[in-house]
């Protein structure tokens, strides 16, 4: 059953392979490319196939963030990384097109994702964000929705700062 979340200003729906060209365009923008790199259409389609598989396997995954009139704004949602931590970690991530940054949309999307996640998934106790050192815009979103610095780590050879929030700390705020 496809999941759609709504907030006062946003509509979030599962990203699919049909979003490949949108993902390419998003990652071609300088502020996204600087932190997350670019995709060509083939790589974007492969990534989106993995997102679709993850939706099917875990019941959570990456959302497309849209305005209420259905313009594509970016993405926000969850990725499961089996290789992280002791037994895998679930990461929340976000990226918005330049036309949409600086207006609180990323925070609004992330808050909606987390509320939905804690309500639906009773098995995962912690959500992380893997953030490249210096990506203060992303740290600000993470902290706005309750994540706190947990550790410095390495992901695929790159240094990262891991932020996290637990189910318990999320509800204690
Ligand atoms: C990360 C990203 C989604 C944040 O978008 P955004 O539009 O700034 O997010 P919001 O409007 O919700 O702002 C959240 C907070 O970040 C702050 N912020 C924005 N840019 C910032 C910057 N460069 N440095 C410090 N704080 C910043 C905002 O002022 C806001 O603070 P507030 O809570 O006090 O209001 C956007 O910058 C982006 O798409 N970046 C490229 C992709 C990326 O790096 N993704 C994260 C990978 S880990």
């Amino acid at each position: 059953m496809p999941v759609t979340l709504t907030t006062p200003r946003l509509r979030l729906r599962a990203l699919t392979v049909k979003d490949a060209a949108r993902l390419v365009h998003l990652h071609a923008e300088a502020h996204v490319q600087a932190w997350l790199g670019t995709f060509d259409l083939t790589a974007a389609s492969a990534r989106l196939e993995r997102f679709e598989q993850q939706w099917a396997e875990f019941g959570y995954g990456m959302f497309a963030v849209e305005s209420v009139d259905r313009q594509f704004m970016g993405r926000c949602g969850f990725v499961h990384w089996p290789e992280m931590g002791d037994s895998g970690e679930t990461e929340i991530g976000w990226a918005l097109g330049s036309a949409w940054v600086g207006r609180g949309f990323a925070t609004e999307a992330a808050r909606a994702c987390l509320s939905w996640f804690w309500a639906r998934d009773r098995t995962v106790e912690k959500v992380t964000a893997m953030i490249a050192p210096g990506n203060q815009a992303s740290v600000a979103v993470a902290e706005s929705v309750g994540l706190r610095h947990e550790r410095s780590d390495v992901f695929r050879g790159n240094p990262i700062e891991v932020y996290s929030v637990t189910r318990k700390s999320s509800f204690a705020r």
Side-chain angles (χ1 to χ4, degrees), residues 9 26-27 29-36 75 91-98 100-109 129-132 134-144:
R9 300 185 296 169
L26 177 67
H27 280 248
E29 293 210 54
H31 72 292
V32 178
Q33 196 179 125
W35 300 110
L36 299 176
R75 63 178 178 82
E91 183 197 22
I92 184 166
W94 34 68
L96 291 184
S98 55
W100 307 102
V101 295
R103 288 189 265 166
F105 290 126
T107 300
E108 189 169 320
M130 295 192 273
I131 302 179
N135 190 348
Q136 283 311 119
S138 188
V139 169
V141 176
E143 291 186 335
S144 295

Side-chain angles (χ1 to χ4, degrees), residues 13 15-16 18-28 41 48 64 66 70 72:
R13 57 157 180 87
L15 266 184
T16 74
K18 291 183 187 155
D19 293 302
R22 295 184 191 96
L23 198 66
V24 169
H25 184 73
L26 177 67
H27 280 248
L41 206 51
L48 289 165
E66 296 179 339
R70 308 268 171 112
F72 182 82

Side-chain angles (χ1 to χ4, degrees), residues 20-145:
R22 295 184 191 96
L23 198 66
V24 169
H25 184 73
L26 177 67
H27 280 248
E29 293 210 54
H31 72 292
V32 178
Q33 196 179 125
W35 300 110
L36 299 176
T38 54
F39 287 120
D40 62 19
L41 206 51
T42 307
S45 300
R47 174 68 64 93
L48 289 165
E49 266 171 35
R50 286 206 300 280
F51 285 162
E52 281 194 17
Q53 283 161 8
Q54 203 170 295
W55 271 107
E57 185 177 351
F58 296 106
Y60 61 75
M62 191 59 65
F63 292 94
V65 179
E66 296 179 339
S67 59
V68 284
D69 60 354
R70 308 268 171 112
Q71 291 184 72
F72 182 82
M73 300 167 73
R75 63 178 178 82
C76 184
F78 303 96
V79 181
H80 180 72
W81 298 106
E83 68 268 46
M84 293 305 289
D86 295 332
S87 54
E89 290 184 341
T90 299
E91 183 197 22
I92 184 166
W94 34 68
L96 291 184
S98 55
W100 307 102
V101 295
R103 288 189 265 166
F105 290 126
T107 300
E108 189 169 320
R111 190 166 284 131
C113 284
L114 279 171
S115 299
W116 168 80
F117 186 83
W118 297 131
R120 67 150 301 278
D121 192 298
R122 303 269 158 207
T123 58
V124 182
E125 290 300 324
K126 184 174 84 170
V127 168
T128 64
M130 295 192 273
I131 302 179
N135 190 348
Q136 283 311 119
S138 188
V139 169
V141 176
E143 291 186 335
S144 295
V145 297

